[in-house]
Amino acid sequence: MKIEDSNWFEIEAYLKHDDRCVLPLGSTEQHAYLSLSVDSILAERMAAEAAEPLGVPVFPVLAYGLTPYFNAYPGTVSLRTVTYMAVVRDILDSLYRSGFRRVLIVNGHGGNSPVQPVTMEWMDERPGARARFHNWWNAPRAWAKVQEIDPKASHASWMENFPWTRLPGRPVPGEQKPMADFDRLKDRSAEGVRELVGDGNYGGYYQRDDAEMEALWRVGVEETRSLLDGDWR
């Protein structure tokens, strides 16, 4: 039940028997040959497919996040940390005010992880509030599936190349790119990151068979749904 397909009367009626909702978090940033909206596309789609059989409302993805290290790539948009924390907090407060008490945050961008302390503070200050922060791609079952398919996987590599994140008419290289030196990336400015990474793929094949990607996606959806439908005590 996407919020965009609902009106407020329907949400008010829903809240009389359930207080769960899903908030997807994404990013707008370079993903090599893939869409700049990869993280947002994946987070929102993952949230929607996981929640659909349960009838739980899914809010629109927050499409901007924390990605200062990619600022040297045109099209990347990064919020300041203080801005992002405030925006997420305001969203959570609005959800609480509406009557939602259990919020599953489906995150599609690793750089957004600093939001976790915000959820802890929010729960501490709001009676009955619960928030689960879920990095869908590196949750235990999804990450195990990634490792089973190909352990050489990273940002903008095959593990983010789904039919719905690739761009028509933009072929990707066929070779396996060497993994980036992550220790060197830790102390680089955005320009330094671009110099080290080049096209944006951090390492690994750019694309794998769609059957493998579908298998990975199914694991992610099932794992995400289990968090939404599981024991919230």
Side-chain angles (χ1 to χ4, degrees):
M1 186 167 64
K2 288 186 177 181
I3 286 294
E4 66 189 66
D5 298 324
S6 309
N7 60 41
W8 76 267
F9 305 102
E10 294 164 332
I11 298 304
E12 184 174 63
Y14 167 84
L15 285 165
K16 291 178 180 178
H17 63 83
D18 205 334
D19 61 5
R20 294 173 296 171
C21 69
V22 187
L23 173 63
L25 301 182
S27 180
T28 300
E29 62 177 21
Q30 73 82 12
H31 276 82
Y33 300 88
L34 303 175
S35 168
L36 283 153
S37 294
V38 162
D39 294 338
S40 299
I41 292 168
L42 295 179
E44 190 165 50
R45 186 179 181 122
M46 178 62 63
E49 292 191 18
E52 193 277 331
L54 307 176
V56 174
V58 177
F59 281 82
V61 66
L62 180 55
Y64 302 106
L66 304 174
T67 180
Y69 35 84
F70 290 150
N71 274 337
Y73 292 87
T76 293
V77 177
S78 184
L79 301 179
R80 291 181 302 155
T81 303
V82 64
T83 303
Y84 190 66
M85 300 299 103
V87 169
V88 172
R89 180 57 186 262
D90 284 351
I91 293 172
L92 291 174
D93 283 345
S94 293
L95 296 176
Y96 188 89
R97 193 157 44 243
S98 290
F100 294 102
R101 294 295 181 269
R102 293 176 291 171
V103 182
L104 176 63
I105 298 174
V106 177
N107 181 42
H109 172 55
N112 293 341
S113 58
V115 81
Q116 290 184 271
V118 174
T119 66
M120 300 298 293
E121 292 173 355
W122 179 72
M123 288 188 287
D124 196 45
E125 297 168 8
R126 292 286 183 266
R130 297 293 303 278
R132 289 179 172 171
F133 187 88
H134 175 53
N135 288 323
W136 78 264
W137 77 95
N138 72 351
R141 288 161 55 190
W143 188 246
K145 189 64 176 178
V146 169
Q147 297 301 297
E148 175 190 322
I149 295 171
D150 183 352
K152 290 189 176 180
S154 63
H155 174 81
S157 75
W158 68 266
M159 67 174 288
E160 297 190 287
N161 189 331
F162 293 87
W164 42 90
T165 58
R166 65 183 68 131
L167 300 169
R170 282 80 146 193
V172 301
E175 70 269 13
Q176 185 183 62
K177 185 178 180 181
M179 296 298 291
D181 186 337
F182 291 99
D183 287 334
R184 294 183 65 197
L185 286 171
K186 291 177 181 178
D187 62 356
R188 294 300 192 274
S189 66
E191 289 74 17
V193 169
R194 178 168 174 172
E195 183 180 351
L196 286 173
V197 179
D199 65 8
N201 177 356
Y202 272 25
Y205 284 110
Y206 290 80
Q207 185 170 333
R208 293 192 65 91
D209 186 81
D210 280 351
E212 294 175 312
M213 302 311 296
E214 176 61 28
L216 170 59
W217 189 254
R218 285 198 305 270
V219 170
V221 170
E222 291 168 4
E223 187 169 26
T224 302
R225 187 178 298 143
S226 70
L227 290 176
L228 185 59
D229 197 33
D231 189 352
W232 284 80
R233 289 178 296 174

